[in-house]
Amino acid sequence: MAQAAVSIETEGGIATVTLSNPPVNALNQAIREGLAEAVARIEADPAIRGAVLCGAGGSFIAGADIREFGQPPQDPSLPDVVRMLDAATKPWVAAIEGVALGGGLEVALGCSHRVAAPGARLGLPEVSLGIIPGAGGTVLLPRLIAADKALGMIAGGKPVSARDAAEMGLVDRVVPGDVHEAARALALEAAEAGIPAPLMKRAVCPPANVEAYEAQKASIRKTARGQISPIAAIEAVERSLALDAEAAFRAEREAFVSLRDSTQSAALRRVFFAERSVSQLDTAQGATPRRLDRIGVLGGGTMGAGIAAACLLAGLGVAIVERDDQRAALARCRVLGILDDSAGRGLLSPEARQAAEAALTVATHFAPLAECDLIIEAVFEDMDVKKAVFAELDAVTRPDAILASNTSYLDIDEIAAGTTDPSRVIGLHFFSPAHVMKLLELIVTREAAPDVLATGLALGKRLRKITVPAGVCDGFIGNRIMARYRREADYMLEDGALPEQIDAAMRDFGFPMGVFQMADLAGLDIGWAMRKRQATTRDPSERHVEIADRICEIGRLGRKTGRGWYDYTQDKSGRPDPWVTELIEAESARKGITRQSFDAGQIMHRILTVMQEEGTALLSEGITASPEAIDVVMINGFGFPRWRGGPMFMMDSEP
Ligand code: 3HC
Ligand code: NAI
């Protein structure tokens, strides 16, 4: 029998109220209604002295039901339910396991006490959905913990651990054992001793450090770069400090409703759901993934080492194969460096660090790959080299092992065609650094078997990546779009813009860095080598900008050589270089182009237009079936500002 949305069991004068809305107990209408009824019933029942509030299925509450946003409001509203809890005269103890997020934390704030399991996470992540808390979070939290801490949680959106929550006074107890039992004990104690005043009746807790609070606000304003919700979060906390609780509560709701109805929030909600649905692939539907215990990585360079580390961090065994002893030693060093770094940042326990190292083998011969379930090739980006190594892989690997290429641009169907069983060949295109970047493109080759594709998806899940399926084409989804806007940026250089203007326009739009800064960071030699390869087949009638080649020819290869598009010799963040300006102007003159000035709006218009054109082409060619997939790739792989929803969202949402 299905569990009721809200159930109440009473024992020894304490009611246990359990909310059930799988998978995350989102606060939909049925839950709100049931909870409001429970509060009224417990208030009215003289036999009940207090209540424990918990979520079914091992987690408290993930927040308001985001799927209800945009639908007509249904009573009772969440703010009303939180107010009922806050005003209750009997103790209510929130027993927090798993997550208490957004409206879930607001419900917990409505309770008189909070008890948390050590692994619980508590937060107000609303800003990441383009909104602010809308059920009293910005009013209640600064009445429980110092306003600077509250602002950090509200404007930053990052959940805190149970221990940090206890340190800031957000939870009363962190209990390693049975949280429900501990909550019950606290409810009984509070029934005897009495409960604290409702938060709505308390004064705000001023910032613990006023200077730090001001600096925090300045930093939030600086990093928001056009995103409205973090600024609205500051304003809400400021109102809480300035106004009485009732007025602040009303103002919060108004701000919440207006943000909820904004394009930015629509964009962020769409991204939230797209990231969770984008890996669905009809051809893999129903297929059982093959075994995934041991991964082979061919080539231990930048990408191979990162991929190997990502697999080890996910608890998989890894065998790396390199060309010679020296490179093998270097590859091992790179991987261990990543593991040490993860351990240093507390992401890996010392035992797990040791276990990961023990699960790694590095060799200069293919023999260890015979044991592997899936082999990822990450050797040089050269079709002949790739074909040669796939022929070797074909010979040494188990027939049921999956062969994947991490190629950025090459035709994997052509690589697969050179093997005896193309149905076991796919692309797994990671992004650099592979152990950090969330995005993974799963390249669906012409003959890939459904269970091979299902295994690719399963690996993405195991590595906690967002896996986006894409068809075979030059650059797949992300690099193909990137190549196109990179080319457009080059055109703009010849037409009158400078690298620093284009980069500034992109940063102002919300990218963490512009295309030329990015190129300097990655190294200009990669693109140069590709352009040299393409030179023989390039259509002579196609516009080709030679500025980047001129820069590379004199050894300016980006940050690593001290100069590239920018000069890093004086300032490590890079300064515009008059030599580059002269070169660009000379190239325009050589081609007879009259340089014109560009403002940031015109620059971004050209960049967005080509992104959207290329995205539309990808859809019409069937490389991907969904505009959401394109947006998820651009956001998670190329720094497209999340709150703008992606180029395809912008195409549909803007006039
Ligand atoms: N509303 C509706 N559905 C939700 C949801 C929510 N708040 N949170 C998660 N879901 C759904 C997901 O879409 C997914 O659905 P699917 O299975 O159909 O794809 C399912 O629940 C499981 O979610 P995940 O795949 O993300 O599962 P994880 O275990 O990886 O993560 C989580 C769980 C940490 C709870 C994560 O889902 C999450 O961060 N959720 C959003 C939390 C949030 O933003 N809360 C604030 C909501 S706004 C609010 O409360 C406003 C209030 O102030 C008035
Ligand atoms: P890299 O040059 O850093 O590493 C390549 C490694 O492969 C070298 O260590 C080399 O010794 C090794 N290698 C070459 N031939 C080999 C062979 N026959 N057997 C064993 N090892 C061999 O190159 P990088 O950047 O790691 O790129 C590798 C692949 O990943 C390329 O296809 C590239 O296009 C792709 N890629 C690169 C990204 C990046 O940002 N660098 C991002 C995504 C994909």
Side-chain angles (χ1 to χ4, degrees):
M1 202 176 70
Q3 190 169 358
V6 178
S7 62
I8 307 178
E9 273 177 41
T10 306
E11 195 188 323
I14 300 295
T16 297
V17 179
T18 306
L19 311 183
S20 172
N21 181 16
V24 294
N25 298 326
L27 295 156
N28 64 4
Q29 195 276 336
I31 295 272
R32 296 195 305 272
E33 187 171 52
L35 182 54
E37 279 168 14
V39 179
R41 191 171 131 195
I42 289 164
E43 279 294 283
D45 188 340
I48 301 180
R49 305 176 65 209
V52 168
L53 181 62
C54 49
S59 191
F60 190 65
I61 306 166
D65 188 339
I66 310 168
R67 290 178 209 275
E68 282 186 358
F69 287 16
Q71 291 174 16
Q74 286 177 295
D75 283 339
S77 74
L78 191 57
D80 286 347
V81 178
V82 172
R83 292 294 298 266
M84 282 178 78
L85 275 166
D86 187 58
T89 58
K90 297 177 184 176
W92 274 77
V93 183
I96 303 171
E97 306 167 278
V99 294
L101 296 177
L105 185 58
E106 290 170 306
V107 165
L109 287 168
C111 293
S112 58
H113 300 81
R114 286 146 295 276
V115 169
R121 286 180 302 132
L122 300 88
L124 292 169
E126 283 88 342
V127 279
S128 57
L129 294 170
I131 51 177
I132 58 168
T138 68
V139 183
L140 304 181
L141 191 60
R143 285 174 163 75
L144 185 66
I145 67 173
D148 49 341
K149 299 277 182 213
L151 178 65
M153 288 185 72
I154 296 165
K158 266 182 102 173
V160 298
S161 67
R163 205 181 57 196
D164 289 349
E167 244 167 52
M168 55 175 90
L170 175 53
V171 303
D172 301 278
R173 290 176 192 174
V174 179
V175 287
D178 186 335
V179 184
H180 298 189
E181 211 29 68
R184 210 181 128 74
L186 184 52
L188 279 167
E189 275 174 43
E192 285 300 316
I195 58 170
L199 285 174
M200 284 297 286
K201 300 254 183 276
R202 290 196 224 169
V204 283
C205 313
N209 179 336
V210 175
E211 232 169 78
Y213 177 66
E214 291 304 324
Q216 192 184 3
K217 284 192 293 185
S219 146
I220 295 163
R221 287 202 177 96
K222 193 165 163 221
T223 48
R225 279 208 231 108
Q227 185 177 358
I228 49 180
S229 57
I231 309 296
I234 297 181
E235 289 165 1
V237 173
E238 294 280 276
R239 274 195 306 267
S240 261
L241 292 174
L243 303 179
D244 67 71
E246 291 296 340
F249 202 95
R250 280 194 303 276
E252 178 201 80
R253 189 69 190 166
E254 266 172 39
F256 167 84
V257 169
S258 138
L259 288 163
R260 187 195 59 194
D261 297 341
S262 68
T263 307
Q264 288 195 7
S265 178
L268 285 162
R269 293 195 315 261
R270 177 174 171 279
V271 176
F272 177 88
F273 288 116
E275 285 179 344
R276 284 158 178 79
S277 62
V278 81
S279 28
Q280 276 158 21
L281 181 61
D282 289 348
T283 32
Q285 209 80 54
T288 309
R290 296 186 188 176
R291 191 179 75 185
L292 267 183
D293 291 329
R294 197 155 180 79
I295 308 296
V297 179
L298 188 59
T302 311
M303 291 309 290
I307 294 167
C311 293
L312 291 167
L313 289 167
L316 292 157
V318 173
I320 298 181
V321 173
E322 253 296 345
R323 286 185 291 169
D324 54 41
D325 288 339
Q326 200 190 346
R327 289 184 176 92
L330 199 61
R332 173 179 280 279
C333 237
R334 283 196 186 109
V335 177
L336 296 185
I338 296 173
L339 296 181
D340 285 340
D341 187 50
S342 302
R345 284 189 290 128
L347 303 172
L348 203 62
S349 69
E351 299 74 39
R353 159 73 184 73
Q354 283 317 313
E357 182 170 352
L360 172 69
T361 56
V362 184
T364 53
H365 49 84
F366 278 47
L369 302 182
E371 310 290 315
C372 293
D373 305 310
L374 184 150
I375 296 96
I376 303 167
E377 163 281 307
V379 302
F380 302 133
E381 184 76 346
D382 181 295
M383 185 52 101
D384 292 336
V385 176
K386 303 259 189 212
K387 278 184 174 168
V389 297
F390 266 79
E392 279 193 73
L393 287 174
D394 206 14
V396 299
T397 53
R398 282 195 334 251
D400 65 330
I402 294 168
L403 307 183
S405 174
N406 182 47
T407 178
S408 308
Y409 288 94
L410 300 175
D411 181 343
I412 309 180
D413 279 329
E414 190 180 331
I415 297 174
T419 64
T420 48
D421 179 9
S423 77
R424 63 171 176 143
V425 179
I426 51 172
L428 285 173
H429 183 226
F430 290 80
F431 289 75
S432 182
H435 63 291
V436 175
M437 296 289 282
K438 292 287 282 176
L439 181 64
L440 174 65
E441 285 178 331
L442 166 67
I443 313 307
V444 182
T445 49
R446 204 166 34 228
E447 295 188 43
D451 63 338
V452 170
L453 293 168
T455 315
L457 292 174
L459 179 68
K461 204 166 196 174
R462 180 84 186 257
L463 302 183
R464 303 173 71 88
K465 307 262 183 223
I466 300 167
T467 310
V468 180
V472 175
C473 69
D474 195 359
F476 317 119
I477 298 177
N479 279 342
R480 181 163 146 181
I481 294 179
M482 199 260 287
R484 181 76 194 277
Y485 68 80
R486 195 39 249 272
R487 198 171 70 202
E488 192 65 18
D490 281 354
Y491 292 168
M492 280 191 275
L493 291 184
E494 271 188 355
D495 292 344
L498 292 173
E500 55 271 27
Q501 291 168 339
I502 295 175
D503 284 351
M506 291 184 75
R507 285 194 308 272
D508 287 349
F509 181 81
F511 280 89
M513 60 175 86
V515 271
F516 296 103
Q517 291 174 295
M518 191 67 197
D520 271 356
L521 188 66
L524 303 188
D525 41 338
I526 302 176
W528 191 28
M530 192 172 76
R531 288 193 299 278
K532 281 194 267 192
R533 273 201 306 274
Q534 289 170 341
T536 48
T537 53
R538 190 175 299 127
D539 176 356
S541 65
E542 187 189 305
R543 181 175 178 185
H544 177 59
V545 179
E546 291 174 31
I547 299 167
D549 297 342
R550 298 288 95 80
I551 290 180
C552 293
E553 279 159 13
I554 59 155
R556 299 177 60 128
L557 299 180
R559 272 174 186 261
K560 61 185 171 189
T561 58
R563 290 192 175 93
W565 291 102
Y566 294 91
D567 180 349
Y568 300 90
T569 54
Q570 310 292 320
D571 173 353
K572 66 177 176 10
S573 60
R575 283 192 191 161
D577 189 335
W579 182 88
V580 173
T581 309
E582 266 177 43
L583 170 73
I584 293 170
E585 288 172 353
E587 280 295 303
S588 304
R590 188 174 70 82
K591 290 202 176 170
I593 299 169
T594 308
R595 292 178 66 77
Q596 37 175 297
S597 60
F598 284 89
D599 64 25
Q602 289 165 323
I603 291 171
M604 282 320 298
H605 178 71
R606 277 181 69 165
I607 288 180
L608 284 171
T609 303
V610 296
M611 280 183 179
Q612 290 160 348
E613 278 174 13
E614 205 60 43
T616 306
L618 286 165
L619 289 167
S620 67
E621 291 167 31
I623 300 301
T624 172
S626 86
E628 283 87 354
I630 295 172
D631 289 338
V632 166
V633 166
M634 294 315 294
I635 288 166
N636 289 285
F638 297 84
F640 197 100
R642 196 180 175 82
W643 53 271
R644 290 197 190 263
M648 305 315 279
F649 174 82
M650 288 187 74
M651 189 164 88
D652 293 340
S653 65
E654 284 187 358

